[in-house]
Amino acid sequence: MTLRDDALATLRAWSAPDAAQGVLRTRFVAHLERAGDGMWRSSYPDHITAGALVIDGAGERVLLNLHGKARRWFAFGGHAEPGDPTLAEVAAREAREESGIPDLRLVPVPAQLDVHPVPFCDPRGEVHHLDVRYVAIAPPAAREVTSDESLDVRWWPVDALPELEPGMVDLVGIARSLV
């Protein structure tokens, strides 16, 4: 099974929690059905990405990164790489690499879908990430490390978050319901 096949199976099987998420699921599936390279950066202007919001086991803090290019606080995530076997593994790898926490526990079912423009992603112009978001739970003694892709990585209390996009705020609520 290819990564694209896994992503299609994952998205087709996913139960969207509401109509808006259902519309996005339909868009993501249609994208992968028509674009053979839909998982890769070569798919322009849209491609599938995956990531994870890292939360502590008590559901009281989330780990966010200050993205180096966007200069905003986000969950961890990014592009698929040739060795990634599944969409969930893309999310898990990105979360491990960008957080510096090797033993995260990924909830294996997508938590949320999001589409966002990333004008800095491609010199041809505006690109859209069709982002499949998961939740990863950090072990109690986890120590974060700031990667080269981030300006900062920091734990935030869920009741004192930095300015986030509305979808990220919703994802924090979803993550809290999963721990």
Side-chain angles (χ1 to χ4, degrees):
M1 177 180 284
T2 68
L3 176 58
R4 180 175 167 268
D5 292 339
D6 173 77
L8 273 167
T10 298
L11 291 165
R12 286 176 177 149
W14 185 63
S15 295
D18 58 42
Q21 288 286 289
V23 168
L24 289 179
R25 185 184 74 79
T26 299
R27 178 178 174 181
F28 287 26
V29 168
H31 168 74
L32 286 171
E33 288 174 341
R34 75 174 171 271
D37 66 342
M39 290 297 304
W40 310 109
R41 291 178 199 227
S42 59
S43 178
Y44 177 84
D46 298 341
H47 50 264
I48 301 287
T49 56
L53 178 71
V54 175
I55 190 164
D56 71 347
E60 296 174 357
R61 300 179 308 148
V62 294
L63 186 63
L64 301 173
N65 81 92
L66 184 58
H67 193 277
K69 292 179 181 176
R71 299 191 180 278
R72 295 195 59 189
W73 291 99
F74 294 116
F76 303 99
H79 297 96
E81 294 181 0
D84 292 328
T86 66
L87 189 58
E89 183 51 34
V90 174
R93 177 187 49 75
E94 287 286 341
R96 288 189 308 266
E97 289 175 358
E98 294 180 3
S99 73
I101 302 173
D103 49 353
L104 295 170
R105 181 172 55 88
L106 189 78
V107 176
V109 176
Q112 182 190 61
L113 305 180
D114 185 68
V115 176
H116 49 270
V118 281
F120 50 79
C121 188
D122 192 294
R124 294 175 286 182
E126 190 134 315
V127 170
H128 293 94
H129 283 176
L130 308 182
D131 198 31
V132 182
R133 295 173 169 176
Y134 290 79
V135 171
I137 302 166
R143 296 285 182 249
E144 70 279 6
V145 176
T146 303
S147 76
D148 292 341
E149 296 180 32
S150 302
L151 299 173
D152 192 9
V153 173
R154 186 181 313 167
W155 286 101
W156 293 86
V158 295
D159 59 355
L161 296 168
E163 182 180 339
L164 298 173
E165 296 174 350
M168 288 297 303
V169 174
D170 293 344
L171 183 58
V172 170
I174 294 166
R176 292 187 80 195
S177 74
L178 296 174
V179 293

